[in-house]
Amino acid sequence: MKSLLFLFSALVMMNAGCTQPRPGAPVESPLAAKIKRFAPTELTGDVSRLSPGDRLALQKLIEAARIMDRIYIRQVWSGNETLLRRLQVDTTAAGREALELFMIEMGPWSSLDNDSAFVDGAPVKPPQANYYPADMTKEEMEAWVRGLPEKEKKKAVGFFWTIRRGADGKLMMVPYSREYRDLLIPAAALLREAAGLTDNPTLKKFLVLRAEAFAKDDYYESDVAWMDLDSPIDVTIGPYETYMDELFNYKAAFESFVTLRNDEESRNLQRFSAYLQEIEDHLPIAKEFRNPRLGGMAPIRVVDQVYRSGEASGGVQTAAFNLPNDEKVIKEKGSKRVMLKNVQQAKFQNVLVPIARIAVDTTQQPLIAFEPFFTHILAHELMHGLGPHNIMVGGRKTTVRQEMKDLYSAIEEAKADIAGLFALQYLIDKGVVDKATEEQMYVTFLAGVFRSVRFGINEAHGKGMALQFNYLLDEGAFVYIPSTGRFSVDVEKMKEVVRKLTGEIMTLQANGNYAGVQTMFDRYANIRPEMRKVLDRLMHVPVDIHPRFPLAGE
Ligand code: ZN
């Protein structure tokens, strides 16, 4: 699953068409304005540490990944491939712009504008994508599935079978291995070639098994091999997420992430992990709410992306994901979180830095820095594992998730953010994390609030951020400067208030206090006029990046 922040991008309230042209300046077309919201960026990684065999394998993997683009374009909509061919031969200026935006979005719909079509003749984005017949209703599918034998039923609602209409007009299923045969056969061949070139046994194993999976529509063994992958080249390739199936969320879209392991960050992560129990033991909550023995944590991998394709190409770029989605694999092997460090860095440079220039007091702007930003993202992920989870309410065994119901995601995200700051301050005070990053961490966090809230406060991350922002403001840790309309951080105050808010949120969670959390959101999770003014001034800051990959010859 992808980070929610990037899925709710459609909620971004942006109006890119409102540019007032300077007198004499060429008038910008609406498509050009949409394209400009994605800042062009180069993404690459350090291949010098790869063995000669791995370097060759990497090229084969990039070639295989390119094929995922072609499968995905076919999956989006039955008319997508034909439309793409039409745009490719259109030499008009408007045609070239349409092609550029098509390649950013991987289809004719603008993800930042509620999926509205930007190419003439494109229909409304089909909720069934190209997974089901265009004329099929939900009811027809449900009735047909009910009538199937148990084994067939599983496939019909499974990840890897499209639903088509047979010559008799009745529904039937087609396995992905047949539906995408023309593309999966060459993709599998490239994975086998790469397997022959790499000297890493875990990568070899994954690639051979994944090539087999393409032919037999059974991804279990290769998903297990992916969980065990321990290789300088870290690759994720195949059918994964089901978001595009808006009818049922059954069918998986093809994508790939071709990445290189970031050894330095992996060591950093290990270093923090060694202190997790100690941080839990010092959480600012009553002793009985602390967990005396933290369980095992889901593994986190930090990598640099050198290529990506398929669903991962379209729209707002994925910066972190959790896979696999197959419940059977998750039950047996857990899931793995992959963080794409250079993608985060590109978003930081192209989106967060320009936001900071508008939102943060000028004297504190030099403190905006990527390393503390990324370290806080890692701390956020780790802190999801700390604090109350299994709780007792009125003598009843329950969980925070069950008690918080619809408020769970937003309060859990707020907890991970604020407790992430608490944990890093703890490590700074202990001398584990460099004291020089203290001010940077807090000021960069302030700028980050605006990045999240920009995606809307109906979504968990934005709502949680708005809560923290207003709480910190009311307590004097963030300070509004009326003369400039910007905000600054009172670092000493911040340390104290971060501790207080961490304690308050975790105590509400520990008590399963739904009403208390609701009251807190009502009071703080809103956009006040001062923040609104800053958000309005962010109109022309890019929303995301559009990467180019030099290692793929781009
Ligand atoms: Zn989170």
Side-chain angles (χ1 to χ4, degrees):
M1 230 189 297
K2 291 175 187 173
S3 266
L4 281 171
L5 183 58
F6 306 110
L7 291 173
F8 283 81
S9 58
L11 295 171
V12 182
M13 304 299 281
M14 301 243 68
N15 181 357
C18 72
T19 320
Q20 287 297 324
R22 274 171 286 114
V27 179
E28 190 177 57
S29 77
L31 284 191
K34 288 187 197 302
I35 291 166
K36 260 171 63 180
R37 290 184 291 181
F38 295 89
T41 314
E42 206 166 84
L43 289 181
T44 191
D46 179 10
V47 287
S48 68
R49 276 185 268 185
L50 296 185
S51 69
D54 269 355
R55 265 179 247 179
L56 295 171
L58 184 66
Q59 288 310 314
K60 296 292 175 192
L61 291 175
I62 290 171
E63 277 180 60
R66 280 188 215 283
I67 299 178
M68 301 300 116
D69 267 343
R70 294 176 57 195
I71 302 182
Y72 177 70
I73 282 174
R74 191 182 294 176
Q75 289 186 302
V76 170
W77 164 48
S78 57
N80 220 26
E81 288 175 295
T82 315
L83 175 62
L84 174 59
R85 278 193 295 272
R86 196 187 94 200
L87 293 176
Q88 279 167 335
V89 296
D90 186 340
T91 53
T92 65
R96 280 202 308 272
E97 278 177 357
L99 177 63
E100 190 178 351
L101 192 54
F102 183 103
M103 293 316 294
I104 289 175
E105 297 284 6
M106 300 297 276
W109 300 283
S110 173
S111 58
L112 298 181
D113 304 291
N114 298 310
D115 286 330
S116 61
F118 58 82
V119 178
D120 285 340
V124 169
K125 190 167 189 228
Q128 78 279 6
N130 191 16
Y131 297 132
Y132 307 91
D135 63 352
M136 186 199 79
T137 63
K138 269 187 98 156
E139 293 70 33
E140 183 186 6
M141 169 80 178
E142 281 160 357
W144 174 67
V145 170
R146 270 196 301 275
L148 291 173
E150 213 44 49
K151 227 179 137 193
E152 297 294 290
K153 206 175 270 181
K154 262 190 140 164
K155 290 181 184 173
V157 303
F159 291 125
F160 315 121
W161 288 266
T162 58
I163 307 300
R164 300 291 176 232
R165 235 178 244 298
D168 56 0
K170 293 207 183 104
L171 295 181
M172 53 179 267
M173 58 188 122
V174 180
Y176 277 12
S177 58
R178 196 156 81 230
E179 180 84 41
Y180 309 115
R181 191 187 145 84
D182 58 323
L183 296 170
L184 285 176
I185 287 177
L190 286 161
L191 294 188
R192 287 199 185 90
E193 279 186 62
L197 290 163
T198 180
D199 31 38
N200 183 288
T202 66
L203 180 61
K204 206 182 274 287
K205 185 171 179 195
F206 168 66
L207 295 175
V208 169
L209 290 173
R210 182 65 22 144
E212 275 173 28
F214 283 169
K216 61 181 199 192
D217 306 297
D218 179 354
Y219 287 79
Y220 172 76
E221 273 178 88
S222 55
D223 273 347
V224 169
W226 182 81
M227 284 301 297
D228 293 336
L229 198 56
D230 183 12
S231 153
I233 299 177
D234 203 297
V235 62
T236 303
I237 185 167
Y240 287 104
E241 308 285 5
T242 58
Y243 305 111
M244 196 165 67
D245 174 0
E246 290 175 25
L247 289 190
F248 295 104
N249 265 289
Y250 291 156
K251 308 301 170 193
F254 280 86
E255 67 182 344
S256 81
F257 297 92
V258 183
T259 72
L260 303 181
R261 187 172 63 196
N262 188 313
D263 291 318
E264 191 192 328
E265 276 313 323
S266 304
R267 272 193 299 274
N268 238 339
L269 204 55
Q270 264 170 13
R271 208 159 50 103
F272 293 156
S273 303
Y275 287 94
L276 290 178
Q277 184 66 56
E278 189 179 330
I279 294 167
E280 176 79 23
D281 296 342
H282 289 83
L283 287 176
I285 50 175
K287 192 165 179 283
E288 68 266 27
F289 294 154
R290 296 180 190 141
N291 185 350
R293 267 192 57 201
L294 289 176
M297 298 278 243
I300 299 180
R301 293 281 153 81
V302 181
V303 300
D304 289 312
Q305 179 172 285
V306 297
Y307 195 66
R308 57 87 185 97
S309 64
E311 191 170 46
S313 300
V316 172
Q317 298 294 293
T318 303
F321 57 87
N322 262 352
L323 283 175
N325 289 328
D326 186 338
E327 296 292 344
K328 189 171 171 226
V329 185
I330 294 174
K331 220 172 141 201
E332 289 167 20
K333 298 286 290 188
S335 65
K336 188 163 82 180
R337 183 147 186 87
V338 179
M339 324 256 316
L340 306 166
K341 188 181 180 191
N342 61 342
V343 176
Q344 300 273 16
Q345 189 154 20
K347 286 174 187 261
F348 175 87
Q349 272 313 325
N350 289 284
V351 182
L352 195 84
V353 169
I355 286 176
R357 281 195 201 109
I358 290 168
V360 176
D361 180 38
T362 43
T363 61
Q364 288 191 328
Q365 281 181 19
L367 294 166
I368 302 289
F370 175 67
E371 283 306 326
F373 171 77
F374 189 72
T375 305
H376 181 249
I377 294 175
L378 291 182
H380 170 114
E381 293 306 331
L382 292 170
M383 294 314 282
H384 275 309
L386 272 64
H389 289 95
N390 297 303
I391 56 172
M392 294 287 283
V393 177
R396 180 171 52 89
K397 263 191 169 167
T398 179
T399 62
V400 174
R401 184 188 287 273
Q402 272 169 22
E403 298 305 312
M404 292 301 153
K405 293 171 281 213
D406 56 312
L407 303 179
Y408 176 72
S409 299
I411 198 67
E412 179 59 24
E413 289 310 324
K415 174 204 102 175
D417 282 332
I418 201 76
L421 292 178
F422 169 83
L424 290 172
Q425 186 64 56
Y426 180 85
L427 295 175
I428 289 169
D429 292 342
K430 261 194 93 87
V432 178
V433 171
D434 190 358
K435 173 102 179 145
T437 63
E438 190 179 86
E439 285 182 288
Q440 293 179 335
M441 167 174 91
Y442 290 124
V443 175
T444 307
F445 177 75
L446 167 64
V449 171
F450 288 92
R451 191 181 75 132
S452 299
V453 170
R454 210 177 168 207
F455 285 87
I457 61 166
N458 298 319
E459 172 276 317
H461 288 79
K463 188 171 179 174
M465 275 291 192
L467 175 142
Q468 296 169 78
F469 179 83
N470 288 317
Y471 187 100
L472 292 162
L473 192 65
D474 287 357
E475 297 281 333
F478 287 165
V479 181
Y480 179 62
I481 308 157
S483 59
T484 60
R486 296 166 191 267
F487 292 86
S488 68
V489 181
D490 179 334
V491 172
E492 282 316 305
K493 204 77 211 217
M494 191 78 181
K495 294 184 198 174
E496 176 197 323
V497 183
V498 162
R499 198 182 161 78
K500 189 175 164 198
L501 181 55
T502 303
E504 253 179 65
I505 292 179
M506 285 191 179
T507 302
L508 287 166
Q509 289 188 327
N511 289 321
N513 187 348
Y514 180 90
V517 170
Q518 184 67 65
T519 306
M520 200 174 197
F521 277 127
D522 289 345
R523 180 159 169 206
Y524 296 110
N526 42 51
I527 295 181
R528 299 180 187 169
E530 297 79 13
M531 177 183 251
R532 168 58 55 206
K533 271 188 232 157
V534 171
L535 292 175
D536 289 345
R537 294 206 302 272
L538 300 180
M539 202 71 95
H540 301 296
V541 173
V543 176
D544 201 50
I545 52 169
H546 179 50
R548 233 164 32 81
F549 299 99
L551 285 173
E554 291 179 355

